[in-house]
């Protein structure tokens, strides 16, 4: 392409080293669609005759077909998807094809191509996230009345509804959805017409290509546009935070699934065995999911580090931006291919979960709060109950086995109405503050999150409708 200026062919190792086909060939259809918009604009502004514009568009459609059926095999010597498509076009329609690249640089072209490709990927990722959150909502509904231990410091803390547990994860993923949609907004801008860095002397119509490609707006500064990758960072940041949430959910389930906890049941189809220990049933899927955070964080660090200190504007370092992006997108698709289905299959053994309540100490806060309602200052109540806890531990007695007499010997403010409150189920049901763990509150959360999920999905549908056909 630059044979005019050069007297030597590019070294073969250099060709291999500098190519980006291994990343951008999968965006070939998006690239062609971007070129079609460019050609339509050139026709619209009179830079191409109607005849020329239509010849180029027809041949680009032909090339799209060749890409789809695998007939067009890209050449590494042509460096990237953009030059491979353009070169094929020139092969097909000669001097007319050679007019395609007027008013355009690969700097704004590559930028456009990735954005076009990425918009669709992000909407597919939304579908996965929607599926995941929906599976959590369903589980929460199923388990709204199921009482299990809640932990802080991985020590038994207070009884909770298993529905509250699922909803805790659903809330985290819903915040991820917000970040995903913010990233989509950042991606959904049209760079086409920025040229190499400074715009063009030709009378390009950027609004035209923007509308033809269904972008929400044109970018504001040609130099900034070809130089920055903030929109990728937004995507990678969403993914990194999401990866942390996936990791935590996986770890929770791995712990509850362990022999020692033993109250979460995973189906055989989501576990694997051991090559030596016949008894083993390992939560490998969850472990792999837990580890994915590493790749997702790594991709974000990769791009943040790579872009630091690059001067304005386009520099070839930026070509590798796609590597971290693709790794992340593929990793996310992998997560969504198993996690929602796994959640749907998880069962909870409430009886096994409740075995952990045998000493009754998980109800200690309930007693302290009971005393507060009898007029005891909380700090005194805490101490009184602390002493009872020690009494129970010293005498190996469950808190729930104490008689009214024993209670009153230690804490005179206790009355008969305390005794019926001392069950994990009652305890869970009575935590009825907004956002709390009572089944009523869990159901309220399910309603709220379902509504917000529907609103996000409606927005995603509107985005999808704005994406043009043909790629
Ligand atoms: N293959 C390059 C990329 O993916 C295209 C842009 C090349 N621009 C340049 N000035 N060499 O970013």
């Amino acid at each position: 392409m630059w044979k005019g200026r050069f007297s030597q062919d590019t070294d073969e190792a250099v060709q291999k080293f500098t190519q980006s086909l291994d990343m951008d060939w999968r965006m070939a259809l998006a690239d062609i669609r971007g070129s079609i918009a460019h050609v339509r604009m050139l026709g619209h502004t009179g830079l191409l005759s109607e005849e020329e514009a239509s010849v180029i568009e027809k041949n680009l459609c032909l090339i799209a077909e060749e890409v789809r059926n695998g007939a067009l095999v890209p050449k590494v010597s042509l460096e990237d998807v953009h030059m491979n498509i353009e070169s094929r076009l020139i092969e097909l329609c000669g001097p007319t094809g050679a007019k395609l690249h007027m008013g355009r640089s690969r700097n704004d072209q590559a930028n456009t191509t990735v954005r076009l490709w990425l918009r669709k990927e992000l909407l597919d990722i939304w579908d996965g996230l929607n599926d995941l959150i929906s599976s959590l909502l369903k589980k929460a509904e199923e388990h709204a009345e199921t009482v299990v231990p809640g932990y802080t410091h991985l020590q038994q803390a207070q009884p909770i509804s298993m529905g509250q547990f699922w909803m805790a994860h659903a809330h985290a993923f819903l915040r991820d959805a917000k970040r995903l949609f913010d990233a989509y907004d950042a991606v959904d801008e049209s760079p086409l017409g920025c040229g190499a860095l400074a715009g063009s002397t030709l009378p390009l119509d950027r609004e035209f290509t923007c509308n033809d490609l269904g972008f929400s707006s044109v970018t504001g500064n040609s130099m900034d546009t070809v130089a920055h990758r903030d929109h990728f960072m937004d995507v990678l940041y969403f993914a990194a935070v999401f990866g942390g949430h996936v990791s935590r959910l996986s770890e929770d389930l791995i712990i509850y699934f362990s022999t020692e906890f033993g109250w979460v049941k995973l189906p055989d189809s989501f576990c694997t065995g051991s090559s030596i220990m016949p008894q083993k049933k390992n939560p490998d899927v969850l472990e792999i999911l837990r580890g994915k955070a590493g790749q997702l964080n790594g991709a974000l660090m990769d791009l943040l580090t790579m872009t630091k200190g690059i001067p304005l504007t386009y520099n070839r370092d930026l070509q590798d931006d796609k590597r971290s992006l693709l790794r992340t997108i593929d990793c996310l698709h992998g997560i969504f291919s198993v996690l929602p289905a796994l959640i749907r299959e998880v069962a909870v053994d409430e009886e096994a979960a409740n075995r952990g309540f045998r000493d009754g100490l998980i109800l200690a806060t309930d007693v302290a709060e009971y005393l507060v309602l009898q007029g005891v200052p909380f700090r005194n109540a805490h101490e009184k109950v602390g002493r009872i806890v020690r009494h129970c531990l010293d005498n190996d007695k469950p808190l729930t086995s104490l008689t009214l007499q024993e209670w009153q010997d230690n804490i005179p403010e206790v009355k008969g109405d305390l005794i019926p409150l001392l069950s994990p189920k009652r305890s869970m049901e009575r935590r009825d503050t907004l956002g709390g763990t009572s089944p009523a509150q869990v159901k309220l959360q399910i309603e709220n999150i379902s509504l917000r999920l529907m609103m996000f999905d409606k927005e995603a549908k509107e985005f999808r409708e704005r994406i043009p056909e043909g790629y």
Side-chain angles (χ1 to χ4, degrees):
M1 288 278 175
W2 39 77
K3 56 181 183 273
R5 164 74 175 77
F6 282 62
S7 58
Q8 275 185 323
D9 288 340
T10 314
D11 181 275
E12 222 171 280
V14 171
Q15 278 184 19
K16 263 197 192 152
F17 186 69
T18 55
Q19 62 80 33
S20 57
L21 275 171
D22 64 330
M23 297 177 276
D24 56 30
W25 185 247
R26 64 194 267 191
M27 302 170 189
L29 294 176
D31 189 65
I32 291 171
R33 186 59 188 83
S35 289
I36 288 176
H38 182 63
V39 162
R40 286 179 183 168
M41 182 275 290
L42 295 176
H44 170 75
T45 53
L47 287 161
L48 284 175
S49 71
E50 246 173 62
E51 167 71 14
E52 287 170 324
S54 125
V55 166
I56 297 179
E57 180 164 345
K58 272 196 197 105
N59 280 284
L60 283 170
C61 291
L62 224 117
I63 298 171
E65 209 32 56
E66 292 179 348
V67 170
R68 281 195 197 95
N69 64 30
L72 181 57
V73 180
K75 296 188 189 98
V76 172
S77 58
L78 290 172
E79 196 177 298
D80 57 24
V81 64
H82 320 295
M83 307 242 268
N84 269 278
I85 304 282
E86 188 186 347
S87 139
R88 178 69 184 133
L89 182 75
I90 294 168
E91 246 173 57
L92 286 173
C93 58
T96 309
K99 293 189 172 187
L100 168 70
H101 205 54
M102 74 170 94
R104 195 173 69 167
S105 153
R106 276 182 301 155
N107 296 351
D108 61 342
Q109 182 186 359
N111 207 314
T112 306
T113 299
V114 186
R115 286 172 187 263
L116 287 173
W117 176 83
L118 191 52
R119 277 193 314 194
K120 286 188 153 186
E121 291 295 326
L122 293 182
L123 291 176
D124 288 347
I125 283 164
W126 161 248
D127 285 342
L129 189 56
N130 189 7
D131 190 26
L132 174 59
I133 299 173
S134 302
S135 70
L136 290 167
L137 294 179
K138 263 200 114 154
K139 273 289 140 177
E141 218 170 280
E142 184 186 329
H143 291 151
E145 318 269 348
T146 307
V147 58
V148 299
Y151 301 91
T152 61
H153 313 270
L154 208 52
Q155 301 283 323
Q156 283 199 5
Q158 292 169 351
I160 58 156
S161 151
M162 190 64 187
Q164 177 78 344
F165 167 85
W166 296 119
M167 288 312 292
H169 289 289
H171 274 82
F173 289 130
L174 198 80
R175 287 195 302 279
D176 292 332
K178 165 101 174 36
R179 276 181 282 272
L180 173 63
F181 279 75
D182 287 348
Y184 187 95
D185 282 343
V187 171
D188 193 24
E189 291 184 350
S190 180
L192 209 53
C194 286
L197 76 163
S200 177
T201 60
L202 301 173
L204 307 179
D205 186 342
R206 292 193 63 202
E207 298 285 355
F208 184 99
T209 41
C210 173
N211 290 334
D212 193 63
L213 296 171
F215 281 117
S216 68
S217 59
V218 297
T219 59
N221 177 292
S222 59
M223 289 177 72
D224 174 52
T225 299
V226 298
H228 85 78
R229 293 297 182 266
D230 296 11
H231 51 308
F232 289 4
M233 290 174 198
D234 291 345
V235 172
L236 299 183
Y237 175 64
F238 144 75
V241 177
F242 170 73
H245 292 150
V246 169
S247 196
R248 184 177 60 174
L249 169 60
S250 305
E251 172 66 351
D252 278 343
L253 295 177
I254 290 168
I255 292 172
Y256 304 158
F257 176 67
S258 68
T259 312
E260 283 69 18
F261 281 69
W263 48 268
V264 153
K265 306 285 170 208
L266 298 175
D268 286 356
S269 55
F270 280 87
C271 292
T272 51
S274 156
S275 61
I276 173 169
M277 298 166 281
Q279 87 285 10
K280 288 297 285 292
K281 176 173 164 181
N282 295 327
D284 293 34
V285 173
L286 287 169
E287 288 168 341
I288 294 173
L289 285 166
R290 184 176 57 189
K292 290 292 182 197
Q295 287 172 40
L296 297 174
N297 289 351
L300 175 62
M301 286 310 126
D302 179 349
L303 191 66
L304 287 171
T305 311
M306 186 254 270
T307 48
K308 179 209 163 290
I310 299 181
L312 282 176
T313 57
Y314 182 85
N315 294 271
R316 196 62 180 275
D317 323 37
L318 292 174
Q319 170 170 295
D320 268 331
D321 59 355
K322 288 176 279 294
R323 216 169 288 286
S324 41
L325 192 67
L326 292 178
R327 237 187 306 137
T328 290
I329 298 290
D330 290 343
C331 181
L332 292 174
H333 286 317
I335 291 173
F336 293 126
S337 73
V338 289
L339 186 53
L342 185 148
I343 299 295
R344 276 189 267 275
E345 296 288 325
V346 171
V348 169
D349 183 343
E350 190 173 13
E351 215 183 289
N354 282 246
R355 262 180 242 135
F357 294 141
R358 266 188 298 228
D359 64 13
L361 297 181
I362 201 164
L363 301 169
T365 320
D366 296 51
V367 181
E369 287 180 354
Y370 169 87
L371 293 176
V372 164
L373 291 178
Q374 309 303 311
V376 183
F378 180 75
R379 201 39 69 206
N380 302 351
H382 188 287
E383 192 191 333
K384 284 171 194 278
V385 180
R387 260 190 257 117
I388 283 270
V389 168
R390 199 161 68 203
H391 168 79
C392 288
L393 291 172
D394 290 348
N395 297 289
D396 205 14
K397 270 187 168 179
L399 187 86
T400 39
S401 72
L402 301 181
T403 61
L404 183 58
Q405 194 55 55
E406 272 175 289
W407 275 108
Q408 287 174 336
D409 289 348
N410 290 280
I411 311 175
E413 291 87 348
V414 168
K415 301 197 186 74
D417 59 355
L418 172 67
I419 308 299
L421 303 183
L422 295 183
S423 88
K425 189 118 192 155
R426 283 289 283 135
S427 165
M428 176 269 276
E429 286 166 353
R430 292 176 64 239
R431 286 200 159 69
D432 196 36
T433 38
L434 207 60
T437 191
S438 73
Q441 289 298 329
V442 170
K443 283 171 193 161
L444 218 81
Q445 292 175 46
I446 296 174
E447 274 171 38
N448 288 339
I449 300 283
S450 302
L451 217 70
R452 294 191 52 198
L453 209 56
M454 272 164 54
M455 280 157 61
F456 275 125
D457 203 43
K458 186 165 166 276
E459 205 179 338
K461 285 207 170 73
E462 286 163 11
F463 287 154
R464 230 184 257 283
E465 277 159 21
R466 288 221 319 267
I467 294 179
E469 301 281 313
Y471 78 99

